[in-house]
PDB file of all heavy atoms in Angstrom:
ATOM      1  N   SER A  50     -24.121 -16.951  20.955  1.00  0.00           N
ATOM      2  CA  SER A  50     -23.207 -18.044  21.145  1.00  0.00           C
ATOM      3  C   SER A  50     -21.815 -17.544  20.730  1.00  0.00           C
ATOM      4  O   SER A  50     -21.528 -17.596  19.497  1.00  0.00           O
ATOM      5  CB  SER A  50     -23.596 -19.224  20.326  1.00  0.00           C
ATOM      6  OG  SER A  50     -22.640 -20.288  20.611  1.00  0.00           O
ATOM      7  N   GLY A  52     -18.940 -18.478  20.242  1.00  0.00           N
ATOM      8  CA  GLY A  52     -18.051 -19.133  19.251  1.00  0.00           C
ATOM      9  C   GLY A  52     -18.452 -18.872  17.850  1.00  0.00           C
ATOM     10  O   GLY A  52     -17.654 -19.169  16.952  1.00  0.00           O
ATOM     11  N   LEU A  53     -19.567 -18.231  17.596  1.00  0.00           N
ATOM     12  CA  LEU A  53     -19.979 -17.979  16.226  1.00  0.00           C
ATOM     13  C   LEU A  53     -19.607 -16.552  15.811  1.00  0.00           C
ATOM     14  O   LEU A  53     -19.927 -16.205  14.622  1.00  0.00           O
ATOM     15  CB  LEU A  53     -21.440 -18.277  15.932  1.00  0.00           C
ATOM     16  CG  LEU A  53     -21.617 -19.780  16.066  1.00  0.00           C
ATOM     17  CD1 LEU A  53     -23.173 -20.253  16.076  1.00  0.00           C
ATOM     18  CD2 LEU A  53     -21.027 -20.503  14.750  1.00  0.00           C
TER      19      LEU A  53
ATOM     20  N   GLN B  95     -27.717 -20.467  13.728  1.00  0.00           N
ATOM     21  CA  GLN B  95     -27.549 -19.599  15.002  1.00  0.00           C
ATOM     22  C   GLN B  95     -27.238 -18.221  14.639  1.00  0.00           C
ATOM     23  O   GLN B  95     -27.586 -17.193  15.291  1.00  0.00           O
ATOM     24  CB  GLN B  95     -26.504 -20.262  15.769  1.00  0.00           C
ATOM     25  CG  GLN B  95     -26.215 -19.615  17.088  1.00  0.00           C
ATOM     26  CD  GLN B  95     -27.376 -19.895  18.096  1.00  0.00           C
ATOM     27  OE1 GLN B  95     -27.719 -21.022  18.273  1.00  0.00           O
ATOM     28  NE2 GLN B  95     -27.828 -18.855  18.765  1.00  0.00           N
ATOM     29  N   PHE B 127     -31.409 -21.126  21.325  1.00  0.00           N
ATOM     30  CA  PHE B 127     -30.578 -20.378  22.227  1.00  0.00           C
ATOM     31  C   PHE B 127     -30.341 -19.045  21.631  1.00  0.00           C
ATOM     32  O   PHE B 127     -30.037 -18.835  20.405  1.00  0.00           O
ATOM     33  CB  PHE B 127     -29.168 -21.057  22.403  1.00  0.00           C
ATOM     34  CG  PHE B 127     -28.340 -20.287  23.292  1.00  0.00           C
ATOM     35  CD1 PHE B 127     -28.325 -20.444  24.609  1.00  0.00           C
ATOM     36  CD2 PHE B 127     -27.270 -19.448  22.812  1.00  0.00           C
ATOM     37  CE1 PHE B 127     -27.369 -19.724  25.427  1.00  0.00           C
ATOM     38  CE2 PHE B 127     -26.437 -18.669  23.557  1.00  0.00           C
ATOM     39  CZ  PHE B 127     -26.535 -18.889  24.876  1.00  0.00           C
TER      40      PHE B 127
ATOM     41  N   THR C  54     -14.357 -19.409  20.829  1.00  0.00           N
ATOM     42  CA  THR C  54     -15.083 -20.179  21.989  1.00  0.00           C
ATOM     43  C   THR C  54     -15.589 -21.508  21.664  1.00  0.00           C
ATOM     44  O   THR C  54     -16.159 -21.627  20.557  1.00  0.00           O
ATOM     45  CB  THR C  54     -16.101 -19.221  22.594  1.00  0.00           C
ATOM     46  OG1 THR C  54     -15.495 -18.063  23.090  1.00  0.00           O
ATOM     47  CG2 THR C  54     -16.981 -19.880  23.621  1.00  0.00           C
ATOM     48  N   ILE C  55     -15.300 -22.399  22.514  1.00  0.00           N
ATOM     49  CA  ILE C  55     -15.961 -23.741  22.232  1.00  0.00           C
ATOM     50  C   ILE C  55     -16.863 -24.105  23.445  1.00  0.00           C
ATOM     51  O   ILE C  55     -16.496 -23.956  24.571  1.00  0.00           O
ATOM     52  CB  ILE C  55     -14.817 -24.839  22.174  1.00  0.00           C
ATOM     53  CG1 ILE C  55     -14.019 -24.653  20.884  1.00  0.00           C
ATOM     54  CG2 ILE C  55     -15.481 -26.201  22.114  1.00  0.00           C
ATOM     55  CD1 ILE C  55     -12.887 -25.521  20.552  1.00  0.00           C
ATOM     56  N   CYS C  56     -18.110 -24.542  23.015  1.00  0.00           N
ATOM     57  CA  CYS C  56     -19.101 -24.779  24.134  1.00  0.00           C
ATOM     58  C   CYS C  56     -18.868 -26.167  24.772  1.00  0.00           C
ATOM     59  O   CYS C  56     -18.108 -27.024  24.293  1.00  0.00           O
ATOM     60  CB  CYS C  56     -20.469 -24.842  23.402  1.00  0.00           C
ATOM     61  SG  CYS C  56     -21.027 -23.402  22.508  1.00  0.00           S
ATOM     62  N   ALA C  57     -19.661 -26.353  25.810  1.00  0.00           N
ATOM     63  CA  ALA C  57     -19.570 -27.494  26.631  1.00  0.00           C
ATOM     64  C   ALA C  57     -19.844 -28.712  25.891  1.00  0.00           C
ATOM     65  O   ALA C  57     -19.128 -29.771  26.020  1.00  0.00           O
ATOM     66  CB  ALA C  57     -20.426 -27.391  27.790  1.00  0.00           C
ATOM     67  N   GLU C  58     -20.825 -28.653  25.068  1.00  0.00           N
ATOM     68  CA  GLU C  58     -21.297 -29.879  24.213  1.00  0.00           C
ATOM     69  C   GLU C  58     -20.147 -30.292  23.305  1.00  0.00           C
ATOM     70  O   GLU C  58     -19.726 -31.482  23.243  1.00  0.00           O
ATOM     71  CB  GLU C  58     -22.482 -29.542  23.401  1.00  0.00           C
ATOM     72  CG  GLU C  58     -23.788 -29.166  24.230  1.00  0.00           C
ATOM     73  CD  GLU C  58     -23.889 -27.636  24.405  1.00  0.00           C
ATOM     74  OE1 GLU C  58     -22.923 -27.016  24.739  1.00  0.00           O
ATOM     75  OE2 GLU C  58     -24.976 -27.162  24.188  1.00  0.00           O
ATOM     76  N   ARG C  59     -19.569 -29.278  22.531  1.00  0.00           N
ATOM     77  CA  ARG C  59     -18.499 -29.712  21.603  1.00  0.00           C
ATOM     78  C   ARG C  59     -17.238 -30.184  22.385  1.00  0.00           C
ATOM     79  O   ARG C  59     -16.539 -31.156  21.895  1.00  0.00           O
ATOM     80  CB  ARG C  59     -18.240 -28.548  20.752  1.00  0.00           C
ATOM     81  CG  ARG C  59     -19.228 -28.402  19.617  1.00  0.00           C
ATOM     82  CD  ARG C  59     -18.956 -27.129  18.746  1.00  0.00           C
ATOM     83  NE  ARG C  59     -19.291 -25.952  19.386  1.00  0.00           N
ATOM     84  CZ  ARG C  59     -18.898 -24.727  19.027  1.00  0.00           C
ATOM     85  NH1 ARG C  59     -17.993 -24.662  18.154  1.00  0.00           N
ATOM     86  NH2 ARG C  59     -19.246 -23.618  19.576  1.00  0.00           N
ATOM     87  N   THR C  88     -30.725 -24.421  25.649  1.00  0.00           N
ATOM     88  CA  THR C  88     -30.567 -25.404  24.650  1.00  0.00           C
ATOM     89  C   THR C  88     -29.258 -25.277  23.968  1.00  0.00           C
ATOM     90  O   THR C  88     -28.669 -24.150  23.967  1.00  0.00           O
ATOM     91  CB  THR C  88     -31.761 -25.413  23.653  1.00  0.00           C
ATOM     92  OG1 THR C  88     -31.704 -24.055  22.938  1.00  0.00           O
ATOM     93  CG2 THR C  88     -33.099 -25.509  24.300  1.00  0.00           C
ATOM     94  N   PRO C  89     -28.845 -26.218  23.203  1.00  0.00           N
ATOM     95  CA  PRO C  89     -27.471 -26.079  22.615  1.00  0.00           C
ATOM     96  C   PRO C  89     -27.580 -24.993  21.451  1.00  0.00           C
ATOM     97  O   PRO C  89     -28.711 -24.897  20.735  1.00  0.00           O
ATOM     98  CB  PRO C  89     -27.302 -27.527  21.924  1.00  0.00           C
ATOM     99  CG  PRO C  89     -28.079 -28.474  22.758  1.00  0.00           C
ATOM    100  CD  PRO C  89     -29.275 -27.639  23.215  1.00  0.00           C
ATOM    101  N   CYS C  90     -26.440 -24.313  21.128  1.00  0.00           N
ATOM    102  CA  CYS C  90     -26.494 -23.478  20.079  1.00  0.00           C
ATOM    103  C   CYS C  90     -26.480 -24.151  18.861  1.00  0.00           C
ATOM    104  O   CYS C  90     -26.207 -25.451  18.721  1.00  0.00           O
ATOM    105  CB  CYS C  90     -25.238 -22.463  20.316  1.00  0.00           C
ATOM    106  SG  CYS C  90     -23.676 -23.212  19.636  1.00  0.00           S
ATOM    107  N   GLY C  91     -26.643 -23.539  17.709  1.00  0.00           N
ATOM    108  CA  GLY C  91     -26.637 -24.087  16.332  1.00  0.00           C
ATOM    109  C   GLY C  91     -25.348 -24.923  16.046  1.00  0.00           C
ATOM    110  O   GLY C  91     -25.314 -25.966  15.392  1.00  0.00           O
ATOM    111  N   ALA C  92     -24.233 -24.271  16.440  1.00  0.00           N
ATOM    112  CA  ALA C  92     -22.980 -24.910  16.186  1.00  0.00           C
ATOM    113  C   ALA C  92     -22.912 -26.258  16.815  1.00  0.00           C
ATOM    114  O   ALA C  92     -22.492 -27.292  16.216  1.00  0.00           O
ATOM    115  CB  ALA C  92     -21.845 -24.022  16.706  1.00  0.00           C
ATOM    116  N   CYS C  93     -23.347 -26.350  18.130  1.00  0.00           N
ATOM    117  CA  CYS C  93     -23.269 -27.688  18.806  1.00  0.00           C
ATOM    118  C   CYS C  93     -24.238 -28.689  18.216  1.00  0.00           C
ATOM    119  O   CYS C  93     -24.092 -29.831  18.319  1.00  0.00           O
ATOM    120  CB  CYS C  93     -23.495 -27.358  20.338  1.00  0.00           C
ATOM    121  SG  CYS C  93     -22.067 -26.679  21.110  1.00  0.00           S
ATOM    122  N   ARG C  94     -25.401 -28.069  17.723  1.00  0.00           N
ATOM    123  CA  ARG C  94     -26.419 -29.010  17.123  1.00  0.00           C
ATOM    124  C   ARG C  94     -25.891 -29.559  15.966  1.00  0.00           C
ATOM    125  O   ARG C  94     -25.969 -30.872  15.758  1.00  0.00           O
ATOM    126  CB  ARG C  94     -27.691 -28.122  16.791  1.00  0.00           C
ATOM    127  CG  ARG C  94     -28.394 -27.645  17.978  1.00  0.00           C
ATOM    128  CD  ARG C  94     -29.698 -26.810  17.686  1.00  0.00           C
ATOM    129  NE  ARG C  94     -30.166 -26.138  18.880  1.00  0.00           N
ATOM    130  CZ  ARG C  94     -31.458 -25.760  19.003  1.00  0.00           C
ATOM    131  NH1 ARG C  94     -32.362 -25.876  18.038  1.00  0.00           N
ATOM    132  NH2 ARG C  94     -31.799 -25.162  20.043  1.00  0.00           N
TER     133      ARG C  94
HETATM  134 ZN1  LIG E 203     -22.808 -24.468  21.509  1.00  0.00          ZN
END
Side-chain angles (χ1 to χ4, degrees):
Chain A
S50 178
L53 289 169
Chain B
Q95 185 72 48
F127 175 85
Chain C
T54 292
I55 294 179
C56 302
E58 299 94 312
R59 282 179 282 162
T88 63
C90 79
C93 291
R94 293 180 191 202

